[in-house]
Amino acid sequence: MSTPERKEYIRVKRRNQTFFIPTSPSDSFAYVKEEICKALGGDDDSIDPKLMRLYIDNKNDGGDADAGKETKKAIPDAALLSDHNVKNDDIIILEMDES
């Protein structure tokens, strides 16, 4: 009998919203964006994942929440959660490009 891959959760935060997304270390950030679209109740036409920017939350290091804001880089869609050492219950920040 095969055991299904154990799913973990990451927290995706945007303004006053938090989404709990089931993931595994081999999932890509593109997959995370797709799951965010589903959580927002959107279909393929209403929310464009290309307008989403995902960042690793660095607030847990005890630093200022705005420190280094100018130098942060969005995580590429093709990157895997394991590439960025994202583990169960880690926080990812979501920003939407309003253009």
Side-chain angles (χ1 to χ4, degrees):
M1 177 190 320
S2 66
T3 306
E5 187 173 351
R6 186 176 143 250
K7 286 286 190 180
E8 299 177 340
Y9 288 84
I10 59 170
R11 291 182 282 165
V12 178
K13 292 191 171 194
R14 177 181 183 240
R15 296 182 186 164
N16 63 346
Q17 296 176 310
T18 301
F19 304 99
F20 291 84
I21 306 293
T23 61
S24 64
S26 61
D27 289 336
S28 69
F29 283 90
Y31 167 80
V32 172
K33 287 182 178 183
E34 291 171 11
E35 293 301 304
I36 293 168
C37 287
K38 291 178 190 175
L40 289 169
D43 55 29
D44 293 336
D45 296 329
S46 65
I47 301 169
D48 186 357
K50 293 177 187 173
L51 298 178
M52 294 180 182
R53 305 289 178 260
L54 298 177
Y55 305 92
I56 303 290
D57 180 31
N58 293 320
K59 290 181 185 177
N60 295 332
D61 63 9
D64 181 16
D66 292 327
K69 203 168 197 175
E70 301 82 23
T71 60
K72 70 181 179 181
K73 292 184 180 179
I75 301 167
D77 288 351
L80 303 179
L81 295 175
S82 60
D83 293 343
H84 291 273
N85 204 27
V86 175
K87 304 225 181 287
N88 190 40
D89 206 34
D90 278 354
I91 299 171
I92 302 295
I93 304 300
L94 167 65
E95 290 183 0
M96 298 292 288
D97 185 0
E98 302 294 331
S99 55

